[in-house]
Amino acid sequence: MSTTVTAPTPSSDALIERMNWRYAAKKMDPAQPVPEDKVARIVEAARLAPTSSGLQPFELIVVTNPEVRARIREIAWNQAQITDGSHLLVFAAWDTYTAERINTMFDLTNQVRGFTNEGWENYRQMLLSSYPQRDAEVNFQHAARQAYIAMSAALLAAAFEGVDATPMEGFDPAQLDEILGLRARGLRSAVIVPLGYRQTDGDWLVNLPKVRRPLEQFVSELR
Ligand SMILES: Cc1cc2nc3c(=O)[nH]c(=O)nc-3n(C[C@H](O)[C@H](O)[C@H](O)COP(=O)(O)O)c2cc1C
């Protein structure tokens, strides 16, 4: 079978249309909070995201407290979306993989599915014999990559809901960990996403075209 990768017609593809609509909003309207049912569906999309071995090695902290968000803004390049939006999603990855964390997820799988499986148990032992022995930083970096997958799901869900969401690495992770007490919970911040509604009159980016490399420079085919 041979197919050719071609760009979709935006109007014929609802998901692509929403992805063209979304952008990393620079100015959010402080007077327009995101309804809780929309936030719940965005969080659910993050929860449903696939992760390596299904370990879900991260937690999501939804910060609405205005004082806490003001403090976070100070250690995040003073980015106004953090306080102008209504919710701040903090994706916090496990600081390492432990046997307990791995076992908890495998046990949960067995409990939810109602049976144990030899292949699955062998796979558990394989992870137990490698992950916990690795350097904690290697494990955190692996866990953070999984958190980014969930962040991406949240961004798409936000676009689907007509909610603006700005992915952010522009913050001091050590200070954010301190503000939220993450280290004591075995977590480290990976990436944050304020949710809100774009304030078009204050946003230099809103009317600029989206910039992506052309398809032919992005994808190649091996047939
Ligand atoms: C992991 C990640 C970190 C980012 N960090 C920031 C940030 O700190 N502040 C910001 O305004 N935009 C940030 N961005 C937004 C990107 O600059 C933006 O997604 C990119 O330029 C593409 O533009 P678009 O999202 O508007 O389509 C980040 C994006 C990603 C995916």
Side-chain angles (χ1 to χ4, degrees), residues 22-24 26 79 81 148 166-170 210 212:
R22 70 147 296 282
Y23 75 119
K26 302 303 175 211
Q79 299 192 75
Q81 308 95 312
Y148 273 74
T166 305
M168 286 186 176
E169 282 178 329
K210 193 173 279 299
R212 295 292 190 269

Side-chain angles (χ1 to χ4, degrees), residues 19-35:
M19 291 187 76
N20 273 298
W21 172 84
R22 70 147 296 282
Y23 75 119
K26 302 303 175 211
K27 178 77 184 132
M28 290 176 173
D29 182 357
Q32 243 193 304
V34 180

Side-chain angles (χ1 to χ4, degrees), residues 51-58 94 97 101-103 105-106 127 131 142:
T51 56
S52 179
S53 301
L55 290 175
Q56 283 184 285
F58 52 84
W94 290 354
Y97 288 108
R101 281 170 156 169
I102 292 169
N103 279 325
M105 282 311 290
F106 275 78
L127 291 191
Y131 281 17
H142 182 269

